[in-house]
Amino acid sequence: MKKILVTGGLGFIGSHICVSLIEQNYSICIIDSLINSEEDNLLSIKKICNLSNNFPKDRITFFKGDIKDKRFLMNIFEKAVDEQKPIEAVIHLAGLKSVNESIEEPLTYWETNVVGTINLLEAMQNYNCKNIVFSSSATIYKPILNELVTENSDLGPISPYGTTKLTIEKILEDLSKSQQNDLKIINLRYFNPVGAHFSGLLGENPKGRPNNLFPILLKVASGEYEKLSIFGADWPTRDGTCIRDYIHVMDLAEAHISALNFILNSSSIFINLNIGTGNGKSVLEVVETFKKVNKCQFEYSYVSRRNGDIPYLVADNRLALSTLHWRPQRNLNDMCIDAWRWKIRSKSKFT
Ligand code: NAD
Ligand code: UDP
């Protein structure tokens, strides 16, 4: 059973990936500082995967710690080697992800995302771990109206967050060139991951006030917020609201399994892949779908455009489809239904 290190494994996307990894018979080691997640997610992962006390303890291990701490990372790789179950590959999600916060606190973002990743790569190099799947983002692209972005589209992030992601991609590319031997690297450029695990036990629960559409929508639909503010009704799109490529978080998790299997079975490689559905939906379409499939009502109003927003960002995902033999299975209805199931379940848990 291969051991995979998942940094940021208790966060929104990481926790869903951990479920898929366990289901695919990997053994996992999770690192998380819990800066934006709860240890409860570990229990939910175990519950979904039916990991009772009878399962070998090393199917899933958790280390609370920070990727900025190089010693901490080295110790984890060393422990795995000592136990004769070295880490075969890393899925690297740990990092900070708020575009707005990155504008306010760029140094924090550079230190966590870039320096943290360099620490991780040094630890991997030290312990001869050659496989990495990195969580990159569609925010690295220069926006173009009404055209799908391919992996070769122009790059031009407009926030420090996006710049840190692009910088990490460049570091990984340099590394792949410097060690001609057998480094295997996939940058997965996520579009807009939303939704939740079908069980309702895992979902997106950011600490503090959310910035993204779905977590806000859930708070509005559940009555925590009075109404939804839609940022702009005058964008050059079919209904005047912005268009994004929303992808179900379990489809995204499954893309990671395919990416991992791909690199574990290939020779040296460096590749960037867009992970989206290729199907853009406007904010208004999301709102109407959410109301319809969940049979709920809430108010929304149009407010001025949000600083830094772009009208249209949708993936050309053909390279990912052909490389990974993966295909998104779930549509916007599923994303809305699963997210709402998670919200209702987690609300009853906390009230
Ligand atoms: P998240 O905040 O839910 O998960 C990130 C996890 O990393 C959290 O559990 C957090 O506690 C942990 N973490 C943060 N800094 C850390 C550090 N220094 N050391 C150890 N752990 C740390 O975010 P997510 O939505 O699951 O995103 C995961 C990754 O995917 C991030 O790298 C993010 O930039 C990237 N990404 C996310 C989206 C999105 O819309 N959610 C889109 C594109 C890319
Ligand atoms: N959005 C909105 N109201 C909100 C939050 C988001 O109208 O309260 C819009 C936002 O302008 C964007 C879309 O929803 O067009 C998706 O926003 P999100 O922050 O989730 O993703 P990103 O903009 O980073 O792609």
Side-chain angles (χ1 to χ4, degrees):
M1 195 175 283
K2 291 196 163 78
K3 183 182 267 184
I4 311 301
L5 175 66
V6 187
T7 74
L10 294 188
F12 168 44
I13 299 168
S15 56
H16 291 81
I17 293 174
C18 287
V19 168
S20 295
L21 285 168
I22 299 268
E23 286 173 351
Q24 293 300 312
N25 239 5
Y26 286 103
S27 133
I28 58 174
C29 169
I30 299 172
I31 293 178
D32 205 300
S33 67
L34 303 181
I35 191 172
N36 200 33
S37 55
E38 305 285 349
E39 201 166 337
D40 260 13
N41 286 349
L42 186 61
L43 297 178
S44 299
I45 295 167
K46 289 182 178 170
K47 196 164 176 188
I48 292 170
C49 298
N50 226 349
L51 285 190
S52 65
N53 290 337
N54 301 334
F55 274 79
K57 274 213 167 65
D58 68 353
R59 269 316 289 286
I60 175 164
T61 44
F62 169 57
F63 298 94
K64 181 170 181 234
D66 198 308
I67 56 166
K68 296 197 293 296
D69 180 351
K70 201 191 297 186
R71 196 62 254 158
F72 164 72
L73 291 173
M74 293 283 183
N75 285 342
I76 285 170
F77 278 88
E78 188 163 318
K79 187 167 183 294
V81 170
D82 286 350
E83 290 168 353
Q84 296 181 334
K85 287 197 170 164
I87 292 166
E88 304 257 353
V90 178
I91 299 182
H92 176 36
L93 302 112
L96 300 175
K97 63 162 185 176
S98 160
V99 167
N100 287 342
E101 193 180 59
S102 78
I103 295 165
E104 299 302 317
E105 298 174 43
L107 289 181
T108 310
Y109 272 68
W110 278 84
E111 199 192 1
T112 303
N113 293 1
V114 179
V115 177
T117 302
I118 292 174
N119 289 340
L120 176 68
L121 294 171
E122 284 179 356
M124 288 175 65
Q125 202 165 55
N126 234 27
Y127 290 93
N128 209 27
C129 175
K130 298 189 177 277
N131 302 298
I132 181 165
V133 179
F134 170 60
S135 300
S136 190
S137 166
T139 55
I140 66 171
Y141 290 113
K142 189 183 261 178
I144 29 169
L145 194 58
N146 295 337
E147 258 183 58
L148 303 184
V149 286
T150 74
E151 288 77 1
N152 293 323
S153 292
D154 287 348
L155 301 173
I158 53 176
S159 71
Y161 165 68
T163 316
T164 62
K165 290 289 178 190
L166 184 54
T167 304
I168 295 166
E169 284 199 4
K170 294 282 176 215
I171 293 171
L172 289 168
E173 188 173 10
D174 286 350
L175 255 188
S176 74
K177 287 178 188 154
S178 72
Q179 303 183 343
Q180 301 91 347
N181 34 31
D182 41 2
L183 264 187
K184 294 174 271 175
I185 300 170
I186 297 195
N187 295 317
L188 295 183
R189 296 174 174 170
Y190 312 161
F191 280 65
N192 287 60
V194 298
H197 190 267
F198 177 77
S199 63
L201 288 169
L202 284 174
E204 186 170 14
N205 190 21
K207 287 187 177 168
R209 207 178 163 82
N211 292 308
N212 297 111
L213 179 62
F214 262 73
I216 293 172
L217 202 57
L218 294 178
K219 284 190 183 284
V220 175
S222 65
E224 283 168 71
Y225 292 174
E226 200 184 327
K227 64 178 172 183
L228 176 73
S229 299
I230 297 184
F231 300 136
D234 57 351
W235 293 96
T237 59
R238 50 185 176 257
D239 62 18
T241 66
C242 291
I243 293 179
R244 295 287 183 277
D245 186 339
Y246 298 94
I247 176 163
H248 195 294
V249 64
M250 285 310 297
D251 281 324
L252 179 61
E254 286 158 16
H256 285 76
I257 304 298
S258 302
L260 188 63
N261 293 338
F262 178 76
I263 53 175
L264 289 174
N265 293 303
S266 77
S267 48
S268 156
I269 187 162
F270 173 85
I271 188 164
N272 303 314
L273 296 175
N274 285 344
I275 304 295
T277 62
N279 193 358
K281 297 288 181 190
S282 73
V283 178
L284 212 49
E285 287 164 349
V286 171
V287 168
E288 293 308 335
T289 304
F290 190 96
K291 284 181 167 181
K292 187 169 148 220
V293 298
N294 292 318
K295 300 185 178 50
C296 61
Q297 285 302 324
F298 54 84
E299 282 185 49
Y300 63 83
S301 64
Y302 293 106
V303 298
S304 49
R305 293 178 176 188
R306 181 172 68 174
N307 215 357
D309 257 350
I310 52 170
Y312 183 90
L313 190 59
V314 182
D316 179 327
N317 63 5
R318 285 174 299 173
L319 187 59
L321 300 190
S322 61
T323 308
L324 301 180
H325 305 293
W326 155 88
R327 181 170 292 280
Q329 307 286 337
R330 300 151 181 98
N331 62 22
L332 186 60
N333 290 357
D334 302 317
M335 300 177 212
C336 293
I337 291 169
D338 290 345
W340 187 229
R341 188 185 299 110
W342 146 251
K343 181 66 188 177
I344 290 169
R345 205 174 162 140
S346 56
K347 218 182 157 211
S348 63
K349 190 169 118 191
F350 293 121
T351 52

